[in-house]
Amino acid sequence: MRLVLLLTINFICAQGAYDVLRPYFGYNNSQITINSIGNATVASGFTINGSTSNPANLGAHRFSSIQSSLSNKNFSSDSNQLTQTGFNGINIIMPISVYRGSLVFSGGVQKEIDYLSTSTDNIYMYSEEGGLYKWNFAMAVEFAKKIFFGAEIKYFTGSDDMTEFGNEITYNYNPVYRGFGFSIGMLHSISRFFQYGISIDLPTSLTVKDNFTFSNLNNTDESYSDTWNYRTKKPLVFHGGFGFFIKNINLFYEIEWADWKNLEFSSSEIYEDDLELPASVFINQEINSIFSSTISHHLGASIRIPLTPVKILTGYEYLPVPFSGLYDSNIRESYSAGFSMPIHKNISLEGSYVSYFWSYMGVDESYDKYSFGINLSY
């Protein structure tokens, strides 16, 4: 989660491999039911509303719906804590009547990734707040009986505010992100008990305008600021998994693979000072040498309480990091739980709790999120 220290150490070099990874490294911040089942949504079909990891799921929806939610998040590290409250987003699903099969559209905006961290050492206090938002439009069709194909186009906006506070000096990084992504997927419902899905996130390209400020409180003449403009390209991400459905219990599994050696940096403005060569040559070599592929596992369950319309959801995530030596066992993990409770024929209240936890350079840290929202269906 936290790369502020590494960014600060490397600020003289303007950019490094960890800066290129920064926009894509945070906490998943999607809709309540999605987070509640550990983001195991590649084969969730119609049972989970919202923008899932597989746009083909839309094809299984037969009713229109609108989801929206708010969250309160808390990052803890040693004696440090940082809290943030905000709007997660809104998502709309709209089926269109067709002669045969299905045609479904979806769109909205949501906070795709959340950035939040803080820590203190003997000299400095570090803090980070921000997020990456996704504006999306998706479509899915029933290509053949019980076989659905879907596609989603995504426009990303966001920023990250990272500050290192000292007794007399302050470093501030404020990268601003803009870019596009595209996903395609397939869902096959073999029976009413079992379905599987696959999807691919094509490489996401972001432009970054990184505003850096150094402030010397005792000698303002030494204070200065600079701006670095560059582009990052996230590698292809593959999702695969299945859903198993019985009367009151739904089980979900998703595997996610990405080769972070294929992360790319490019800039026509940033050069290696000593050699006067493009920094992309050295940064991409650094990426290839220190990053690796990751395989994440997502597990989830949805349980309907007998004789009631109330659903209880729970999930688990196993999240390896693409580098080594900072996180114990080089992984993060998360547990989640949530509920969906109808209060009217077409209105449901939803809530969830998600806890990420890990050990960073021998220090236990955690990120907890409480969410509350509403789902309207018609």
Side-chain angles (χ1 to χ4, degrees):
M1 302 301 177
R2 175 161 53 85
L3 300 179
V4 179
L5 177 60
L6 293 170
L7 288 167
T8 304
I9 290 173
N10 293 319
F11 83 94
I12 295 176
C13 301
Q15 246 56 58
Y18 292 100
D19 304 80
V20 186
L21 177 66
R22 158 57 48 198
Y24 315 109
F25 195 74
Y27 319 96
N28 293 323
N29 202 79
S30 51
Q31 281 92 359
I32 287 177
T33 52
I34 294 173
N35 275 173
S36 295
I37 63 167
N39 294 282
T41 61
V42 72
S44 58
F46 69 89
T47 60
I48 300 296
N49 290 318
S51 180
T52 66
S53 60
N54 184 359
N57 285 316
L58 290 172
H61 287 261
R62 294 295 181 262
F63 301 98
S64 299
S65 65
I66 302 174
Q67 310 90 37
S68 184
S69 64
L70 298 168
S71 290
N72 178 265
K73 310 139 195 175
N74 180 75
F75 178 94
S76 297
S77 173
D78 285 346
S79 59
N80 288 70
Q81 287 194 342
L82 190 60
T83 300
Q84 185 183 77
T85 300
F87 178 61
N88 288 332
I90 185 169
N91 189 80
I92 300 171
I93 296 174
M94 184 175 295
I96 304 298
S97 297
V98 291
Y99 176 71
R100 180 178 297 173
S102 68
L103 173 63
V104 184
F105 293 95
S106 176
V109 57
Q110 67 182 48
K111 198 172 188 180
E112 176 86 344
I113 302 176
D114 192 34
Y115 313 128
L116 189 68
S117 65
T118 182
S119 65
T120 301
D121 60 22
N122 294 329
I123 303 175
Y124 297 105
M125 183 183 79
Y126 309 91
S127 72
E128 174 189 15
E129 292 186 71
L132 187 67
Y133 286 84
K134 178 182 76 174
W135 302 74
N136 71 299
F137 176 78
M139 180 187 73
V141 298
E142 188 171 7
F143 179 77
K145 187 176 182 180
K146 302 300 182 180
I147 300 178
F148 307 93
F149 286 93
E152 179 181 22
I153 185 170
K154 298 170 274 192
Y155 174 64
F156 295 100
T157 64
S159 64
D160 198 357
D161 188 5
M162 299 171 283
T163 306
E164 179 187 30
F165 301 95
N167 291 330
E168 300 176 355
I169 60 176
T170 301
Y171 302 101
N172 178 258
Y173 301 83
N174 184 218
V176 177
Y177 308 122
R178 298 287 186 275
F180 286 92
F182 187 75
S183 298
I184 56 175
M186 184 273 290
L187 176 72
H188 183 193
S189 181
I190 296 177
S191 71
R192 64 189 183 93
F193 300 109
F194 183 82
Q195 60 192 23
Y196 69 91
I198 58 173
S199 68
I200 298 174
D201 299 327
L202 300 180
T204 297
S205 180
L206 295 179
T207 59
V208 183
K209 182 179 181 180
D210 195 345
N211 304 295
F212 169 72
T213 302
F214 168 75
S215 301
N216 189 321
L217 303 181
N218 290 336
N219 187 353
T220 56
D221 291 338
E222 293 185 359
S223 302
Y224 71 95
S225 61
D226 200 357
T227 299
W228 305 310
N229 294 288
Y230 57 96
R231 181 180 295 274
T232 76
K233 182 179 287 187
K234 180 184 178 182
L236 177 150
V237 180
F238 171 83
H239 308 262
F242 61 84
F244 181 70
F245 308 90
I246 55 179
K247 184 176 181 180
N248 291 317
I249 301 176
N250 302 328
L251 301 176
F252 309 97
Y253 170 74
E254 177 174 335
I255 188 171
E256 180 180 320
W257 176 88
D259 187 357
W260 293 98
K261 287 182 178 294
N262 293 325
L263 182 68
E264 293 183 13
F265 167 90
S266 62
S267 176
S268 60
E269 301 178 8
I270 302 175
Y271 288 81
E272 177 66 29
D273 292 337
D274 295 337
L275 302 176
E276 295 186 356
L277 292 174
S280 57
V281 174
F282 303 96
I283 292 175
N284 286 325
Q285 287 178 347
E286 183 185 9
I287 288 171
N288 191 261
S289 64
I290 67 176
F291 290 164
S292 62
S293 62
T294 58
I295 298 177
S296 303
H297 300 278
H298 308 262
L299 300 168
S302 171
I303 304 170
R304 183 183 297 275
I305 299 177
L307 305 179
T308 76
V310 178
K311 286 184 179 180
I312 302 297
L313 305 102
T314 185
Y316 168 78
E317 295 181 87
Y318 177 89
L319 305 167
V321 298
F323 47 84
S324 61
L326 297 177
Y327 290 79
D328 284 4
S329 302
N330 300 323
I331 63 167
R332 302 166 291 158
E333 297 176 88
S334 83
Y335 289 105
S336 55
F339 71 89
S340 177
M341 181 177 66
I343 60 172
H344 188 269
K345 182 179 179 181
N346 299 320
I347 304 174
S348 295
L349 295 181
E350 300 174 337
S352 68
Y353 168 70
V354 180
S355 178
Y356 288 81
F357 56 94
W358 61 92
S359 182
Y360 181 85
M361 298 180 70
V363 177
D364 290 337
E365 298 181 339
S366 64
Y367 167 90
D368 301 291
K369 182 177 73 172
Y370 298 87
S371 302
F372 183 78
I374 188 170
N375 178 52
L376 308 178
S377 59
Y378 51 95

